[in-house]
Structures are given as C-alpha cells and as structure tokens.
Amino acid sequence: MELHPLTLCGQIVRLEPLSLEHVSGLAEIGLEESIWKFMLYGRMQSWVDMHTWVEEMLRRQAAGADLPFAVCHLESGRLAGATRYLEICPAHRTLEIGGTWYGLEFQRTAVNTESKYLLLRHAFEKLGVIRVQFKTDLRNLPSQKAIERLGAVKEGVFRQHLITPEGVLRDSVYYSIIDSEWPFVKVRLERMLHRSG
C-alpha cells in the first residue's frame, strides 16, 4: 500500500497532484468565507493564505502523512477545489478521504460524487485498502448528507474531538466504507454519475 502522487481522471473531473502552481486557481474560487466555516485550517482570505495552505499540504505529503489533490473541472478547465488522502495507515490498510472543499459554483454538483468515486476506486482496487473513513463536524449537516449519499456507514460521534481555529470544541462524526461494501457502493456511485451525465 504505497501512495505516490498520481493523476486520477474521470468524465467530469481530473484529480492531479497538488502543487504550488495551483495556488492562483484555488484562490480564485476558494476565498468565500462559507467554504471554511467548518474546516480546521482557519479562513482563507487572500492569495497568501491559500499559498500557505498549499505549502502545509505539501509538507504533510513530504512527511508521508497525506496525499493531496487539486480537483480540475474538465468542462470549464477551471479548478473546482481540493481533496486528499490522510490518516494513511499501511500496516492496517486503512486511510481517510477528507480535507475536501469546493468553490461555491461546484458544490452540490457531480464534481464531488466523481471525485469521491475516483478516490474510493483507487483506494480499494489499486491500493488494496480494507477501510476508508470520512469525518466531519457534527454541525456540518450538508457534509454529513453528502457522505451518507455516497453510501458510507455512520459509525458514531467523537465528542470534543478537536478544537477549531476559532476555539470551538468540535464533535466529529465518523463514517466508513469497508472493502466488502465497495462493490455495492461502486455500482451506486456509477448509477448516480450516469444520471448526472
């Protein structure tokens, strides 16, 4: 289960290794305050903030902790947002998909569905993981609905799990998909993508 930077291509999006070259495109669509309300990075208010965020993601990648991607919307040729693998644990063949955010025009579209499909397919079919987890802020109901829409199973709530940059004690909701569920989830996601295509 070795993770290296790679590109994952679909019909709607291309996930490509995050780099400093993506900073301007991400800043163009990612400085809206509502995007960062429940994220653990603080708010992105400028190009400098986005540059600092990308540098941090690349530091995590260099340390072997994360594998970040820029999400490119194929039809428009614009960046739609970012996502990544994190909590990577080769010994137990598990990882998390998270840190996902999109510009407002790309939210609640097939961009997220196909991004998650590509990441899940690679994780289960190429990396051989046995469990993929997702977590989100208990207050973030749209995120919970989006994760549940994928077919992930809600496992429970970690109370006072994290402290946000604003000092809020965050409760985190955990979800997962395990390898035996992947064939059914895969069919579900492919049907969803077919309907949206």
Short mmCIF file of all heavy atoms in Angstrom, two decimals, residues 109-161:
data_model
loop_
_atom_site.label_atom_id
_atom_site.label_comp_id
_atom_site.label_asym_id
_atom_site.label_seq_id
_atom_site.Cartn_x
_atom_site.Cartn_y
_atom_site.Cartn_z
N THR A 109 -22.79 19.45 -6.89
CA THR A 109 -22.77 19.02 -8.29
C THR A 109 -22.12 17.64 -8.35
O THR A 109 -21.68 17.11 -7.32
CB THR A 109 -21.96 20.00 -9.18
OG1 THR A 109 -20.56 19.87 -8.86
CG2 THR A 109 -22.40 21.44 -8.98
N ALA A 110 -22.01 17.11 -9.55
CA ALA A 110 -21.37 15.79 -9.71
C ALA A 110 -19.87 15.83 -9.48
O ALA A 110 -19.22 14.78 -9.45
CB ALA A 110 -21.68 15.24 -11.09
N VAL A 111 -19.30 17.01 -9.29
CA VAL A 111 -17.86 17.14 -9.03
C VAL A 111 -17.47 16.32 -7.81
O VAL A 111 -16.51 15.54 -7.84
CB VAL A 111 -17.46 18.62 -8.86
CG1 VAL A 111 -16.08 18.75 -8.21
CG2 VAL A 111 -17.48 19.33 -10.21
N ASN A 112 -18.20 16.46 -6.72
CA ASN A 112 -17.86 15.72 -5.50
C ASN A 112 -18.11 14.23 -5.68
O ASN A 112 -17.29 13.41 -5.26
CB ASN A 112 -18.65 16.24 -4.30
CG ASN A 112 -18.22 15.54 -3.02
OD1 ASN A 112 -17.06 15.57 -2.63
ND2 ASN A 112 -19.17 14.89 -2.36
N THR A 113 -19.21 13.87 -6.30
CA THR A 113 -19.52 12.45 -6.49
C THR A 113 -18.42 11.75 -7.26
O THR A 113 -17.93 10.70 -6.85
CB THR A 113 -20.86 12.29 -7.24
OG1 THR A 113 -21.88 13.01 -6.54
CG2 THR A 113 -21.25 10.82 -7.33
N GLU A 114 -17.98 12.36 -8.39
CA GLU A 114 -16.95 11.70 -9.17
C GLU A 114 -15.59 11.74 -8.48
O GLU A 114 -14.82 10.78 -8.56
CB GLU A 114 -16.84 12.28 -10.57
CG GLU A 114 -15.93 11.41 -11.44
CD GLU A 114 -15.89 11.80 -12.89
OE1 GLU A 114 -15.44 12.93 -13.19
OE2 GLU A 114 -16.31 10.98 -13.73
N SER A 115 -15.29 12.83 -7.79
CA SER A 115 -14.02 12.89 -7.05
C SER A 115 -13.93 11.76 -6.03
O SER A 115 -12.92 11.05 -5.95
CB SER A 115 -13.88 14.24 -6.34
OG SER A 115 -13.75 15.29 -7.26
N LYS A 116 -15.00 11.58 -5.27
CA LYS A 116 -15.01 10.52 -4.26
C LYS A 116 -14.96 9.14 -4.92
O LYS A 116 -14.29 8.23 -4.43
CB LYS A 116 -16.25 10.63 -3.36
CG LYS A 116 -16.28 11.87 -2.48
CD LYS A 116 -15.13 11.93 -1.52
CE LYS A 116 -15.29 12.99 -0.45
NZ LYS A 116 -15.30 14.37 -0.97
N TYR A 117 -15.68 8.98 -6.03
CA TYR A 117 -15.66 7.72 -6.77
C TYR A 117 -14.24 7.37 -7.20
O TYR A 117 -13.78 6.24 -7.00
CB TYR A 117 -16.59 7.81 -7.98
CG TYR A 117 -16.47 6.65 -8.93
CD1 TYR A 117 -17.06 5.42 -8.64
CD2 TYR A 117 -15.77 6.78 -10.13
CE1 TYR A 117 -16.95 4.35 -9.51
CE2 TYR A 117 -15.66 5.72 -11.01
CZ TYR A 117 -16.25 4.51 -10.70
OH TYR A 117 -16.12 3.44 -11.56
N LEU A 118 -13.53 8.33 -7.77
CA LEU A 118 -12.17 8.07 -8.24
C LEU A 118 -11.24 7.72 -7.09
O LEU A 118 -10.42 6.80 -7.18
CB LEU A 118 -11.63 9.29 -8.99
CG LEU A 118 -12.32 9.62 -10.32
CD1 LEU A 118 -11.85 10.98 -10.84
CD2 LEU A 118 -12.06 8.54 -11.36
N LEU A 119 -11.37 8.44 -5.97
CA LEU A 119 -10.52 8.17 -4.81
C LEU A 119 -10.84 6.83 -4.17
O LEU A 119 -9.93 6.08 -3.79
CB LEU A 119 -10.67 9.30 -3.78
CG LEU A 119 -10.09 10.65 -4.18
CD1 LEU A 119 -10.57 11.74 -3.23
CD2 LEU A 119 -8.57 10.61 -4.21
N LEU A 120 -12.11 6.51 -4.06
CA LEU A 120 -12.51 5.22 -3.48
C LEU A 120 -12.08 4.06 -4.37
O LEU A 120 -11.54 3.06 -3.89
CB LEU A 120 -14.03 5.19 -3.27
CG LEU A 120 -14.56 6.01 -2.10
CD1 LEU A 120 -16.06 6.23 -2.24
CD2 LEU A 120 -14.23 5.33 -0.78
N ARG A 121 -12.29 4.20 -5.67
CA ARG A 121 -11.91 3.12 -6.59
C ARG A 121 -10.41 2.86 -6.53
O ARG A 121 -9.97 1.71 -6.46
CB ARG A 121 -12.34 3.48 -8.02
CG ARG A 121 -12.09 2.34 -9.02
CD ARG A 121 -12.56 2.71 -10.40
NE ARG A 121 -11.73 3.78 -10.95
CZ ARG A 121 -11.96 4.35 -12.14
NH1 ARG A 121 -12.99 3.98 -12.89
NH2 ARG A 121 -11.16 5.30 -12.59
N HIS A 122 -9.62 3.92 -6.51
CA HIS A 122 -8.17 3.75 -6.44
C HIS A 122 -7.77 3.11 -5.10
O HIS A 122 -6.92 2.21 -5.06
CB HIS A 122 -7.47 5.09 -6.62
CG HIS A 122 -5.98 4.98 -6.63
ND1 HIS A 122 -5.29 4.46 -7.70
CD2 HIS A 122 -5.05 5.28 -5.68
CE1 HIS A 122 -3.99 4.47 -7.42
NE2 HIS A 122 -3.82 4.95 -6.21
N ALA A 123 -8.42 3.57 -4.03
CA ALA A 123 -8.07 3.04 -2.70
C ALA A 123 -8.37 1.55 -2.59
O ALA A 123 -7.52 0.77 -2.15
CB ALA A 123 -8.83 3.81 -1.61
N PHE A 124 -9.56 1.14 -3.00
CA PHE A 124 -9.94 -0.27 -2.85
C PHE A 124 -9.34 -1.18 -3.92
O PHE A 124 -8.92 -2.30 -3.62
CB PHE A 124 -11.47 -0.41 -2.86
CG PHE A 124 -12.13 0.04 -1.58
CD1 PHE A 124 -12.96 1.14 -1.56
CD2 PHE A 124 -11.91 -0.65 -0.39
CE1 PHE A 124 -13.56 1.55 -0.37
CE2 PHE A 124 -12.50 -0.24 0.80
CZ PHE A 124 -13.34 0.86 0.81
N GLU A 125 -9.26 -0.68 -5.16
CA GLU A 125 -8.89 -1.56 -6.26
C GLU A 125 -7.40 -1.52 -6.60
O GLU A 125 -6.88 -2.50 -7.16
CB GLU A 125 -9.73 -1.22 -7.49
CG GLU A 125 -11.22 -1.45 -7.26
CD GLU A 125 -12.09 -1.14 -8.46
OE1 GLU A 125 -11.54 -0.93 -9.57
OE2 GLU A 125 -13.33 -1.11 -8.29
N LYS A 126 -6.72 -0.46 -6.29
CA LYS A 126 -5.28 -0.36 -6.59
C LYS A 126 -4.42 -0.44 -5.33
O LYS A 126 -3.40 -1.11 -5.32
CB LYS A 126 -4.97 0.94 -7.34
CG LYS A 126 -5.69 1.08 -8.66
CD LYS A 126 -5.31 -0.01 -9.64
CE LYS A 126 -5.99 0.22 -11.00
NZ LYS A 126 -5.73 -0.87 -11.94
N LEU A 127 -4.85 0.24 -4.27
CA LEU A 127 -4.05 0.25 -3.04
C LEU A 127 -4.36 -0.93 -2.13
O LEU A 127 -3.57 -1.27 -1.26
CB LEU A 127 -4.28 1.56 -2.27
CG LEU A 127 -3.87 2.84 -3.00
CD1 LEU A 127 -4.24 4.07 -2.17
CD2 LEU A 127 -2.38 2.85 -3.32
N GLY A 128 -5.53 -1.55 -2.32
CA GLY A 128 -5.89 -2.71 -1.52
C GLY A 128 -6.28 -2.38 -0.09
O GLY A 128 -6.09 -3.20 0.81
N VAL A 129 -6.85 -1.20 0.12
CA VAL A 129 -7.28 -0.86 1.48
C VAL A 129 -8.49 -1.72 1.86
O VAL A 129 -9.21 -2.22 1.00
CB VAL A 129 -7.61 0.64 1.65
CG1 VAL A 129 -6.43 1.52 1.27
CG2 VAL A 129 -8.85 1.03 0.87
N ILE A 130 -8.69 -1.86 3.16
CA ILE A 130 -9.85 -2.61 3.64
C ILE A 130 -10.88 -1.70 4.30
O ILE A 130 -12.01 -2.12 4.57
CB ILE A 130 -9.44 -3.73 4.62
CG1 ILE A 130 -8.71 -3.18 5.84
CG2 ILE A 130 -8.59 -4.79 3.89
CD1 ILE A 130 -8.45 -4.20 6.93
N ARG A 131 -10.49 -0.43 4.54
CA ARG A 131 -11.41 0.52 5.17
C ARG A 131 -11.03 1.93 4.77
O ARG A 131 -9.86 2.31 4.84
CB ARG A 131 -11.34 0.39 6.70
CG ARG A 131 -12.25 1.36 7.46
CD ARG A 131 -12.10 1.15 8.98
NE ARG A 131 -13.05 1.93 9.72
CZ ARG A 131 -12.87 3.19 10.10
NH1 ARG A 131 -11.74 3.81 9.80
NH2 ARG A 131 -13.80 3.84 10.78
N VAL A 132 -12.04 2.68 4.34
CA VAL A 132 -11.87 4.12 4.08
C VAL A 132 -12.80 4.85 5.03
O VAL A 132 -13.99 4.53 5.11
CB VAL A 132 -12.21 4.48 2.62
CG1 VAL A 132 -12.19 6.00 2.43
CG2 VAL A 132 -11.25 3.81 1.65
N GLN A 133 -12.25 5.82 5.75
CA GLN A 133 -13.08 6.56 6.68
C GLN A 133 -13.26 8.01 6.21
O GLN A 133 -12.48 8.52 5.41
CB GLN A 133 -12.51 6.55 8.09
CG GLN A 133 -11.31 7.45 8.31
CD GLN A 133 -10.82 7.41 9.76
OE1 GLN A 133 -11.06 6.46 10.50
NE2 GLN A 133 -10.14 8.46 10.16
N PHE A 134 -14.32 8.62 6.71
CA PHE A 134 -14.62 10.03 6.50
C PHE A 134 -14.99 10.60 7.85
O PHE A 134 -15.58 9.89 8.69
CB PHE A 134 -15.83 10.21 5.57
CG PHE A 134 -15.72 9.50 4.25
CD1 PHE A 134 -16.08 8.16 4.13
CD2 PHE A 134 -15.30 10.17 3.12
CE1 PHE A 134 -16.00 7.50 2.91
CE2 PHE A 134 -15.22 9.52 1.89
CZ PHE A 134 -15.57 8.18 1.79
N LYS A 135 -14.67 11.86 8.08
CA LYS A 135 -15.16 12.50 9.30
C LYS A 135 -15.55 13.94 8.98
O LYS A 135 -15.03 14.54 8.04
CB LYS A 135 -14.13 12.45 10.42
CG LYS A 135 -12.88 13.28 10.25
CD LYS A 135 -12.01 13.20 11.50
CE LYS A 135 -10.73 14.01 11.37
NZ LYS A 135 -9.76 13.43 10.43
N THR A 136 -16.49 14.46 9.75
CA THR A 136 -16.92 15.83 9.54
C THR A 136 -17.44 16.41 10.85
O THR A 136 -17.71 15.68 11.81
CB THR A 136 -18.01 15.90 8.45
OG1 THR A 136 -18.26 17.26 8.11
CG2 THR A 136 -19.31 15.24 8.90
N ASP A 137 -17.52 17.72 10.89
CA ASP A 137 -18.04 18.42 12.05
C ASP A 137 -19.51 18.07 12.24
O ASP A 137 -20.29 18.08 11.29
CB ASP A 137 -17.86 19.93 11.81
CG ASP A 137 -18.08 20.79 13.04
OD1 ASP A 137 -19.10 20.59 13.74
OD2 ASP A 137 -17.24 21.68 13.29
N LEU A 138 -19.90 17.77 13.47
CA LEU A 138 -21.29 17.43 13.77
C LEU A 138 -22.25 18.55 13.35
O LEU A 138 -23.40 18.30 13.00
CB LEU A 138 -21.45 17.13 15.27
CG LEU A 138 -22.83 16.70 15.75
CD1 LEU A 138 -23.27 15.40 15.09
CD2 LEU A 138 -22.84 16.55 17.27
N ARG A 139 -21.77 19.78 13.37
CA ARG A 139 -22.61 20.93 12.99
C ARG A 139 -22.79 21.04 11.47
O ARG A 139 -23.66 21.75 11.00
CB ARG A 139 -22.00 22.24 13.51
CG ARG A 139 -21.84 22.29 15.03
CD ARG A 139 -20.98 23.48 15.43
NE ARG A 139 -19.63 23.34 14.88
CZ ARG A 139 -18.77 24.36 14.72
NH1 ARG A 139 -19.13 25.59 15.07
NH2 ARG A 139 -17.57 24.15 14.22
N ASN A 140 -21.96 20.33 10.71
CA ASN A 140 -21.96 20.47 9.25
C ASN A 140 -22.91 19.46 8.62
O ASN A 140 -22.51 18.41 8.11
CB ASN A 140 -20.53 20.29 8.73
CG ASN A 140 -20.39 20.69 7.29
OD1 ASN A 140 -21.38 20.88 6.58
ND2 ASN A 140 -19.16 20.79 6.83
N LEU A 141 -24.18 19.79 8.63
CA LEU A 141 -25.20 18.87 8.11
C LEU A 141 -25.07 18.62 6.61
O LEU A 141 -25.24 17.48 6.17
CB LEU A 141 -26.60 19.39 8.46
CG LEU A 141 -26.91 19.48 9.97
CD1 LEU A 141 -28.31 20.01 10.19
CD2 LEU A 141 -26.73 18.13 10.64
N PRO A 142 -24.75 19.64 5.78
CA PRO A 142 -24.57 19.34 4.35
C PRO A 142 -23.46 18.32 4.09
O PRO A 142 -23.59 17.46 3.23
CB PRO A 142 -24.23 20.71 3.74
CG PRO A 142 -24.87 21.69 4.67
CD PRO A 142 -24.72 21.09 6.04
N SER A 143 -22.37 18.40 4.84
CA SER A 143 -21.28 17.45 4.67
C SER A 143 -21.72 16.04 5.08
O SER A 143 -21.41 15.06 4.40
CB SER A 143 -20.06 17.87 5.50
OG SER A 143 -19.02 16.93 5.38
N GLN A 144 -22.47 15.93 6.16
CA GLN A 144 -22.96 14.62 6.59
C GLN A 144 -23.87 14.01 5.52
O GLN A 144 -23.75 12.82 5.20
CB GLN A 144 -23.72 14.75 7.91
CG GLN A 144 -22.81 15.07 9.10
CD GLN A 144 -23.59 15.25 10.38
OE1 GLN A 144 -24.34 14.36 10.79
NE2 GLN A 144 -23.45 16.40 11.00
N LYS A 145 -24.75 14.84 4.94
CA LYS A 145 -25.65 14.34 3.91
C LYS A 145 -24.86 13.88 2.68
O LYS A 145 -25.19 12.86 2.06
CB LYS A 145 -26.66 15.42 3.53
CG LYS A 145 -27.71 15.65 4.59
CD LYS A 145 -28.69 16.72 4.18
CE LYS A 145 -29.71 16.96 5.28
NZ LYS A 145 -30.63 18.08 4.95
N ALA A 146 -23.82 14.64 2.33
CA ALA A 146 -23.02 14.28 1.17
C ALA A 146 -22.29 12.96 1.39
O ALA A 146 -22.21 12.12 0.48
CB ALA A 146 -22.01 15.39 0.86
N ILE A 147 -21.78 12.74 2.59
CA ILE A 147 -21.08 11.49 2.90
C ILE A 147 -22.07 10.32 2.91
O ILE A 147 -21.79 9.25 2.37
CB ILE A 147 -20.33 11.59 4.25
CG1 ILE A 147 -19.21 12.63 4.16
CG2 ILE A 147 -19.77 10.24 4.67
CD1 ILE A 147 -18.58 13.00 5.49
N GLU A 148 -23.23 10.52 3.50
CA GLU A 148 -24.24 9.47 3.53
C GLU A 148 -24.73 9.15 2.12
O GLU A 148 -25.02 7.99 1.80
CB GLU A 148 -25.40 9.91 4.43
CG GLU A 148 -25.00 9.93 5.90
CD GLU A 148 -25.99 10.65 6.80
OE1 GLU A 148 -27.06 11.10 6.31
OE2 GLU A 148 -25.68 10.81 8.00
N ARG A 149 -24.80 10.16 1.26
CA ARG A 149 -25.23 9.96 -0.12
C ARG A 149 -24.27 9.04 -0.87
O ARG A 149 -24.66 8.32 -1.78
CB ARG A 149 -25.31 11.33 -0.80
CG ARG A 149 -25.93 11.32 -2.18
CD ARG A 149 -26.16 12.77 -2.64
NE ARG A 149 -26.53 12.79 -4.04
CZ ARG A 149 -25.69 12.96 -5.04
NH1 ARG A 149 -24.40 13.13 -4.80
NH2 ARG A 149 -26.11 12.97 -6.29
N LEU A 150 -23.00 9.04 -0.47
CA LEU A 150 -22.02 8.15 -1.09
C LEU A 150 -22.29 6.69 -0.77
O LEU A 150 -21.86 5.79 -1.48
CB LEU A 150 -20.61 8.49 -0.61
CG LEU A 150 -20.05 9.87 -0.94
CD1 LEU A 150 -18.72 10.07 -0.23
CD2 LEU A 150 -19.91 10.06 -2.44
N GLY A 151 -22.98 6.44 0.36
CA GLY A 151 -23.21 5.08 0.81
C GLY A 151 -22.35 4.68 1.99
O GLY A 151 -22.29 3.51 2.37
N ALA A 152 -21.69 5.67 2.61
CA ALA A 152 -20.87 5.39 3.79
C ALA A 152 -21.76 5.12 5.00
O ALA A 152 -22.86 5.66 5.11
CB ALA A 152 -19.92 6.56 4.07
N VAL A 153 -21.24 4.31 5.91
CA VAL A 153 -21.98 3.94 7.13
C VAL A 153 -21.55 4.83 8.28
O VAL A 153 -20.35 4.99 8.55
CB VAL A 153 -21.70 2.45 7.48
CG1 VAL A 153 -22.34 2.09 8.82
CG2 VAL A 153 -22.21 1.54 6.37
N LYS A 154 -22.52 5.41 8.96
CA LYS A 154 -22.23 6.25 10.12
C LYS A 154 -21.81 5.36 11.29
O LYS A 154 -22.52 4.43 11.65
CB LYS A 154 -23.45 7.08 10.49
CG LYS A 154 -23.21 8.07 11.62
CD LYS A 154 -24.46 8.91 11.84
CE LYS A 154 -24.25 9.93 12.95
NZ LYS A 154 -25.45 10.78 13.14
N GLU A 155 -20.64 5.67 11.85
CA GLU A 155 -20.12 4.86 12.94
C GLU A 155 -20.36 5.48 14.31
O GLU A 155 -20.49 4.76 15.30
CB GLU A 155 -18.62 4.64 12.75
CG GLU A 155 -18.30 3.83 11.52
CD GLU A 155 -16.81 3.61 11.32
OE1 GLU A 155 -16.02 4.52 11.62
OE2 GLU A 155 -16.44 2.51 10.87
N GLY A 156 -20.37 6.78 14.40
CA GLY A 156 -20.58 7.40 15.69
C GLY A 156 -19.97 8.79 15.77
O GLY A 156 -19.45 9.31 14.78
N VAL A 157 -20.03 9.36 16.96
CA VAL A 157 -19.56 10.73 17.19
C VAL A 157 -18.43 10.72 18.22
O VAL A 157 -18.57 10.13 19.29
CB VAL A 157 -20.71 11.63 17.69
CG1 VAL A 157 -20.21 13.04 17.97
CG2 VAL A 157 -21.85 11.66 16.67
N PHE A 158 -17.32 11.35 17.88
CA PHE A 158 -16.24 11.59 18.83
C PHE A 158 -16.50 12.95 19.47
O PHE A 158 -16.37 13.98 18.80
CB PHE A 158 -14.88 11.61 18.12
CG PHE A 158 -14.32 10.26 17.78
CD1 PHE A 158 -15.13 9.17 17.54
CD2 PHE A 158 -12.94 10.08 17.71
CE1 PHE A 158 -14.59 7.92 17.23
CE2 PHE A 158 -12.40 8.85 17.39
CZ PHE A 158 -13.23 7.77 17.15
N ARG A 159 -16.89 12.94 20.73
CA ARG A 159 -17.24 14.19 21.40
C ARG A 159 -16.00 14.99 21.77
O ARG A 159 -14.99 14.44 22.18
CB ARG A 159 -18.07 13.88 22.65
CG ARG A 159 -19.39 13.15 22.31
CD ARG A 159 -20.18 12.80 23.55
NE ARG A 159 -19.39 11.96 24.45
CZ ARG A 159 -19.61 11.86 25.76
NH1 ARG A 159 -20.56 12.56 26.33
NH2 ARG A 159 -18.86 11.07 26.51
N GLN A 160 -16.11 16.31 21.60
CA GLN A 160 -14.99 17.23 21.89
C GLN A 160 -13.68 16.68 21.32
O GLN A 160 -12.65 16.64 21.97
CB GLN A 160 -14.88 17.49 23.39
CG GLN A 160 -16.08 18.22 23.94
CD GLN A 160 -15.93 18.65 25.39
OE1 GLN A 160 -14.85 18.59 25.97
NE2 GLN A 160 -17.02 19.09 25.97
N HIS A 161 -13.75 16.30 20.08
CA HIS A 161 -12.65 15.61 19.41
C HIS A 161 -11.53 16.56 19.02
O HIS A 161 -10.35 16.20 19.11
CB HIS A 161 -13.23 14.92 18.17
CG HIS A 161 -12.22 14.22 17.32
ND1 HIS A 161 -12.19 14.35 15.96
CD2 HIS A 161 -11.20 13.40 17.64
CE1 HIS A 161 -11.20 13.63 15.47
NE2 HIS A 161 -10.58 13.03 16.46
#
